Amino acid sequence: MGTTVGTRLTAIICGRWSAWLVLLTMAAFSALVIGFAGDPRTGNDPTGALPDTAESAQVAELRRQLPGGQVNPALVVYSRDGQPLTAADDVAIAADREAFAREAVGEVSPPVYAPDRTAALVAVPLPAEIDPVALGDIVDRLRAQARADLPAGATAQLTGGAGFTADVAAAFDGANFTLLAATVAVVAALLLVTYRSPWLWLVPLAVVGTADVVSNGLIAIVSRAIDLRIDASTTGIVDVLVFGAGTNYALLLIARYREELRRVPDRRQALRRALSSAGPAITASAMTVVLSLLTLLAAVLANDRAIGVAGAVGITTAMVYGLVVLPAALSVCGRGLFWPFIPRPGQPDPTRTGLWARAGNLVSRRPRTVLAGSLLLLAVLATGLLDARLGLSKTEQFRVSAESIDGLATLSRSFPSGTADPVIVVADAARTPAVLAAVESVDGVASARPAGGDDDLAVIEVVLEAEPDSTESYQAITELRTALDAVPEADALVGGSVATNLDTRDAALRDLRVVVPLVLVVVLAVLILLLRSIVAPLILVGTVVATFFAALGAATTLFTQVLGYPALDTSVPLLSFLFLVALGVDYNIFLTTRAREEAPVEGTRQGMRTALAVTGGVITSAGILLAAVFAVLGVLPLVTLTEIGIIVGFGVLLDTLLVRTLLVPAIAMVLGRRFWWPSALARRPDPEPAAAGGGAGPEPASTSVGAGAQPAAASVSADPMPGRHADTGG
């Protein structure tokens, strides 16, 4: 915004009358998007997220071309709490089978009884290509029918692929509204505490809330334009991103505006200065997050790509509303918006002598000690990764009770664990005997039988002894594929939901290896362009990566030792890394860009102390708010989102309170002007202490900051942008 065009735009946004025009224009745009966006494109194909080259995806496509292949089975399990089923139970089960036929798209299977008659199983084929809500209605009717005339003491539970899909949809029924309501409540409460004003908090909350609704509309438009599937969890994540990042941008801009109001009588001039100063940092921060999210386009999992595109749209919208709508809204309001703590010219700046100024003094006295202690703490927290395990089974993915999970457990007590979720093998029909022989030779296979096909292709259902999605089941899938590859001319492929989940895990690990380096390159490039340095960006990226490993290790310990989660879900490491690195680097951008402003006049060490003093309060507020917003993901019923919320939330707090407050300033003070190498700042000697100006009170001029250190500035500058405001008398 330092260009002539930027200056003109700033003047228009903050003008007396033009601000109203900006607000009316953006209101019309918002109404247009909200009114005509429609719904996003969705899908419920279990293999839809996988690349076409995945074996399970190929099996799913081949089965769609076969008779009876477009079905999603619902399995109804009857039991008596471990006791044998009675003759009366048999009659009820037979009656249910006839009633189930009204909902089925094929023949309902005859009841299959366990050898000890402790359970019976009826398979009901339901349509595979159906909206999850419509499928949920069918499942509800089947469950009601199964329970209607059961003899006393008997129970009926619906599980299988259809039951699991319906329960996931039901778990999210109203959950995103709950998430949004909880997010708004958290943001409102923290803004109220931060501003201590009865109405100032309403302005940023209204702006960010509008940005969130508009971003959802834009995402719906984009999803239809590029055939992007958006599910409920993606919508929830984007809501959190928009509220978290958007509120952070608002906090930074309003803090800078308040700072300028203490210097300048004209509030619009103060707002223009604040927007000109904070705008580049906000833009750089937002573009870092957007570009990082877009690296997910290199992922092979469609769900990851959807989060990348949707998140990029959301963050861009939050940035635009934060840099256009928010300042325009502030422009039409007077200083009274800050009541009862109205900033006026001549008032002392409390950030200059507060907690964060004292933190800067502490770091400057013993930077090497602070540096060593911070690194040691991060290393200790990261040791939790030594016991980390990746991958959750179906029974481990819900934080709430689900009938499909309970039914799976009942089924596993009387039948082989894989009965509810058989593996599907598709092979050349002429090689069926050889394929069956190869399948039955694999350890962990309980049974195998032909289950349809046509003249060219045979479908074989394979029941595993291991629980679906367990390590043992994945090992069995791998051995099945190896054994079938050895059958000549069989062209056998292994699919089914267990194979799909294995392929998804492998794809997630591939995406982790590919996307993480891309994110680091993007963040490093943005920091190099912004700071015109190489050393500082490398250090900042290194500290954010260290924060990620520390947060992941600490959270893993919490999950396994306290919450009882057996593992991290496959998508958690990549998404947590992306959000934490992209969002966590924001605070370092805010700190170091301010330090770079101060360095030419105050020197690197004193400039970093000043930057820490004046940005500490707002960055800490922003970090706490962002952490709280991500923690709200815990209201959703899936373990995956809870894990992401806790990891990112804890990581943001760690970055805000430790890395940005202690570690980065300590490194900068140890390195001195070398921190900015190879920019001109690295070659410019630190000024004498008197050059920093007076202001916040005396400090020892010879404070030691390590070998070869320059003397610390005698005091913290009273002006956070020295030399900028000579024309205003501010």
Side-chain angles (χ1 to χ4, degrees), residues 592-658:
T592 53
T593 53
R594 186 58 180 263
R596 200 179 192 286
E597 288 181 11
E598 308 292 347
V601 174
E602 298 189 345
T604 297
R605 294 177 177 85
Q606 182 60 30
M608 183 60 73
R609 292 169 66 186
T610 299
L612 181 59
V614 298
T615 65
V618 64
I619 291 178
T620 301
S621 297
I624 292 173
L625 188 145
L626 185 62
V629 167
F630 264 93
V632 172
L633 279 175
V635 306
L636 295 178
L638 295 184
V639 169
T640 301
L641 297 180
T642 300
E643 289 180 339
I644 291 174
I646 290 176
I647 292 170
V648 177
F650 180 73
V652 167
L653 288 179
L654 198 61
D655 188 82
T656 304
L657 301 177
L658 176 69

Side-chain angles (χ1 to χ4, degrees), residues 252 256 259-260 263 273-281 352 530-532 589-604 606-608 610-611 614-615 676 681 684 717 719-725:
L252 183 69
R256 201 63 182 255
E259 197 175 325
E260 294 296 337
R263 296 193 188 90
R273 287 185 178 183
L275 186 56
S276 297
S277 299
R352 302 295 171 149
L530 183 66
L531 300 177
R532 298 187 288 280
I589 287 176
F590 298 156
L591 174 69
T592 53
T593 53
R594 186 58 180 263
R596 200 179 192 286
E597 288 181 11
E598 308 292 347
V601 174
E602 298 189 345
T604 297
Q606 182 60 30
M608 183 60 73
T610 299
V614 298
T615 65
W676 307 110
L681 281 177
R684 179 182 298 175
S717 169
D719 188 346
M721 295 182 291
R724 286 191 172 199
H725 308 320

Side-chain angles (χ1 to χ4, degrees), residues 504-586:
T504 300
R505 187 195 67 175
D506 292 342
L509 292 173
R510 177 267 177 198
D511 288 349
L512 187 65
R513 292 191 296 268
V514 171
V515 174
V516 164
L518 289 177
V519 173
L520 294 178
V521 168
V522 165
V523 171
L524 185 63
V526 171
L527 289 173
I528 289 173
L529 291 174
L530 183 66
L531 300 177
R532 298 187 288 280
S533 166
I534 292 177
V535 172
L538 287 172
I539 289 171
L540 296 180
V541 169
T543 59
V544 173
V545 172
T547 302
F548 166 73
F549 283 112
L552 190 62
T556 299
T557 301
L558 173 67
F559 298 149
T560 57
Q561 303 299 322
V562 179
L563 300 180
Y565 300 164
L568 298 172
D569 193 38
T570 52
S571 62
V572 166
L574 175 58
L575 294 180
S576 298
F577 178 86
L578 179 67
F579 297 148
L580 189 53
V581 170
L583 294 171
V585 81
D586 284 3

Side-chain angles (χ1 to χ4, degrees), residues 469-486:
D469 301 321
S470 63
T471 302
E472 293 78 13
S473 70
Y474 288 164
Q475 180 64 30
I477 295 290
T478 302
E479 293 178 3
L480 269 173
R481 287 173 169 169
T482 301
L484 291 172
D485 286 343

Side-chain angles (χ1 to χ4, degrees), residues 151-330:
T155 60
Q157 297 164 306
L158 190 148
T159 183
F164 187 76
T165 301
D167 285 345
V168 169
F172 274 97
D173 185 22
N176 274 343
F177 175 79
T178 302
L179 173 69
L180 187 60
T183 301
V184 170
V186 166
V187 170
L190 291 176
L191 286 175
L192 188 58
V193 170
T194 299
Y195 292 132
R196 294 174 296 167
S197 168
W199 41 67
L200 174 58
W201 62 277
L202 291 170
V203 176
L205 182 63
V207 171
V208 175
T210 304
D212 180 60
V213 178
V214 171
S215 69
N216 284 330
L218 293 173
I219 289 167
I221 295 171
V222 170
S223 73
R224 294 195 302 274
I226 62 176
D227 193 24
L228 190 73
R229 265 51 175 187
I230 304 295
D231 60 22
S233 61
T234 299
T235 302
I237 288 173
V238 172
D239 286 340
V240 167
L241 280 175
V242 172
F243 266 94
T247 310
N248 275 194
Y249 304 152
L251 285 170
L252 183 69
L253 178 64
I254 292 175
R256 201 63 182 255
Y257 179 39
R258 190 201 299 265
E259 197 175 325
E260 294 296 337
L261 285 172
R262 294 193 178 98
R263 296 193 188 90
V264 183
D266 186 342
R267 61 181 176 83
R268 290 189 176 85
Q269 183 183 11
L271 184 57
R272 288 194 297 271
R273 287 185 178 183
L275 186 56
S276 297
S277 299
I282 292 173
T283 302
S285 169
M287 287 299 99
T288 302
V289 180
V290 167
L291 293 174
S292 298
L293 285 165
L294 290 179
T295 61
L296 285 174
L297 291 174
V300 296
L301 286 175
N303 290 344
D304 287 345
R305 295 198 300 272
I307 290 174
V309 173
V313 171
I315 293 295
T316 302
T317 306
M319 178 191 71
V320 170
Y321 276 70
L323 293 178
V324 176
V325 179
L326 177 60
L330 293 173

